[in-house]
Amino acid sequence: MIKDNIKIIKDLTKIFLKSAYQDINIINKETKKINKRSVFVWLILIVSLALFYISNEIIKALVSSGYPEVFLSIYFLVLAIFIMFQTILVCTNIFYFSKDIELILPFPIKPVNLLIAKFNTLICTLYVSEAIFGIIPICIYGILTHSTLLFYIYAVLIFIFFPVFLALVLSIIMMFVMKISKFIKNKEIFQTIITLLLVTSIFIVEYNVINNIFIQNKEIEIVENNFQIADKLIEFNNKIETSNKLFLVINPAVKVLKNSNLQNIFEIIKIILIDFITFIIFIFIGKKTYLKDISSLYCSAFMAAGSFSTVW
């Protein structure tokens, strides 16, 4: 039974991923090579070069100051913000407004399998973006700080588990917001409203975080020596770490990569536990709301799907 459910989730995930990426022509379907005419290919190349240059300059400056770990605190905060914004932009479309939902509804598929497959699609989308925008800065940090092999192993594990919590939290928020869907008939307008509401909410949180980091001192002090530079960097890093506590998984991730030793495997376990608990909450809420919400959005398709399973 479990194997059958896993196979169904796996097959559904493949279908949803193919549907999500069918309009992005990064790979030429005929030659099976990178499509040099694709706007996305050139955008990825330009962003990668920019990230390489900016990360290299910042990390070199911090290494020369003796506090390269400050980069990790800033990096993961920026990465978390990026992941949240992307989740907001694609979340409602993947879970509720993608074309494949109407095609899937008539089949006898358990809604929990559909929910998990949809989340897999979301997290795979985030992994692709994370690979494009996240790997270069971390690799440069590892090279310039002469990190050991354990650092890169931990970095891979962090990249796997880091976006899960953020994606789950925003998905749960999205489910609650979708409860008002029955009052709005126009799906496109509703999707726009949801996106704007979530973006505004995240922007307010991020503004408070950034305000806490950068605008606590009203006067700009002139740094005259290396001791003052060190003090300012320590103070700056402490402010970032305090703000990062809001996101639960950032500080453990920073701690793991700051000191890549065997003892810090417990920090990765901590992130996994946070992800697991949040996933259980996500499934619990999804089981109560997801089927009803997509049913209200695709009422005609649902009525035609008499064989659709409602057994959890």
Side-chain angles (χ1 to χ4, degrees):
M1 187 66 177
I2 296 176
K3 288 183 178 179
D4 292 337
N5 286 330
I6 292 174
K7 186 179 185 304
I8 290 170
I9 292 170
K10 184 178 178 181
D11 291 340
L12 285 173
T13 302
K14 288 180 180 178
I15 293 170
F16 295 152
L17 281 173
K18 187 177 291 185
S19 175
Y21 285 97
Q22 65 181 356
D23 297 326
I24 303 177
N25 299 318
I26 294 178
I27 304 296
N28 190 308
K29 295 178 180 179
E30 296 179 358
T31 61
K32 303 299 180 182
K33 295 181 180 180
I34 294 176
N35 184 7
K36 296 179 181 179
R37 296 181 180 180
S38 173
V39 176
F40 292 100
V41 172
W42 291 103
L43 182 62
I44 291 169
L45 180 62
I46 292 169
V47 171
S48 298
L49 290 173
L51 280 172
F52 178 85
Y53 176 77
I54 295 170
S55 301
N56 188 57
E57 293 299 312
I58 292 174
I59 296 169
K60 277 184 177 180
L62 290 171
V63 168
S64 65
S65 300
Y67 292 92
E69 63 272 11
V70 175
F71 174 79
L72 292 175
S73 298
I74 300 171
Y75 165 79
F76 278 105
L77 176 61
V78 173
L79 184 62
I81 291 171
F82 173 77
I83 288 171
M84 286 189 291
F85 270 111
Q86 187 183 7
T87 301
I88 289 169
L89 293 174
V90 303
C91 188
T92 52
N93 185 59
I94 288 175
F95 279 96
Y96 293 95
F97 299 112
S98 59
K99 297 177 181 178
D100 49 45
I101 293 178
E102 265 185 282
L103 300 175
I104 294 296
L105 277 175
F107 294 96
I109 299 170
K110 291 182 179 180
V112 69
N113 292 343
L114 179 61
L115 181 65
I116 295 173
K118 281 292 183 182
F119 180 75
N120 288 345
T121 306
L122 172 62
I123 203 68
C124 286
T125 302
L126 296 178
Y127 284 152
V128 171
S129 299
E130 204 178 38
I132 295 170
F133 302 110
I135 290 178
I136 291 175
I138 283 296
C139 287
I140 294 173
Y141 178 89
I143 293 169
L144 294 180
T145 56
H146 309 289
S147 300
T148 63
L149 178 62
L150 192 59
F151 169 87
Y152 296 99
I153 295 173
Y154 280 160
V156 172
L157 294 174
I158 292 296
F159 278 132
I160 292 172
F161 298 111
F162 181 77
V164 175
F165 169 74
L166 300 171
L168 285 168
V169 169
L170 286 171
S171 297
I172 291 169
I173 294 172
M174 175 267 303
M175 286 181 183
F176 284 113
V177 175
M178 285 299 296
K179 297 306 295 179
I180 65 173
S181 63
K182 58 184 177 181
F183 301 110
I184 299 176
K185 296 181 180 180
N186 191 308
K187 290 191 295 182
E188 292 182 1
I189 293 176
F190 181 63
Q191 188 176 5
T192 303
I193 291 172
I194 290 176
T195 302
L196 288 174
L197 284 173
L198 290 176
V199 167
T200 302
S201 301
I202 295 300
F203 176 78
I204 291 171
V205 173
E206 289 164 3
Y207 175 79
N208 290 330
V209 169
I210 293 171
N211 183 69
N212 182 53
I213 295 171
F214 294 104
I215 316 178
Q216 283 190 352
N217 297 324
K218 295 182 179 179
E219 297 181 358
I220 301 175
E221 299 181 10
I222 300 174
V223 178
E224 296 179 351
N225 54 56
N226 290 334
F227 291 106
Q228 285 182 303
I229 293 174
D231 289 341
K232 289 297 175 184
L233 284 173
I234 293 171
E235 181 184 353
F236 180 71
N237 190 55
N238 290 337
K239 289 179 181 179
I240 296 176
E241 287 182 352
T242 301
S243 299
N244 285 348
K245 289 179 181 178
L246 292 171
F247 302 101
L248 293 183
V249 293
I250 294 182
N251 284 339
V254 172
K255 186 177 179 180
V256 168
L257 296 183
K258 186 189 296 185
N259 300 304
S260 300
N261 53 52
L262 291 175
Q263 291 179 342
N264 277 336
I265 190 67
F266 293 106
E267 294 298 322
I268 293 180
I269 295 172
K270 180 179 178 180
I271 295 173
I272 294 172
L273 285 174
I274 292 172
D275 289 347
F276 179 74
I277 293 169
T278 313
F279 181 74
I280 296 299
I281 296 171
F282 167 77
I283 292 297
F284 177 78
I285 295 172
K287 287 170 69 173
K288 299 291 184 182
T289 64
Y290 186 59
L291 177 60
K292 294 178 182 178
D293 291 337
I294 60 174
S295 298
S296 64
L297 287 170
Y298 297 93
C299 185
S300 59
F302 179 75
M303 293 299 292
S307 60
F308 189 86
S309 175
T310 57
V311 180
W312 294 92

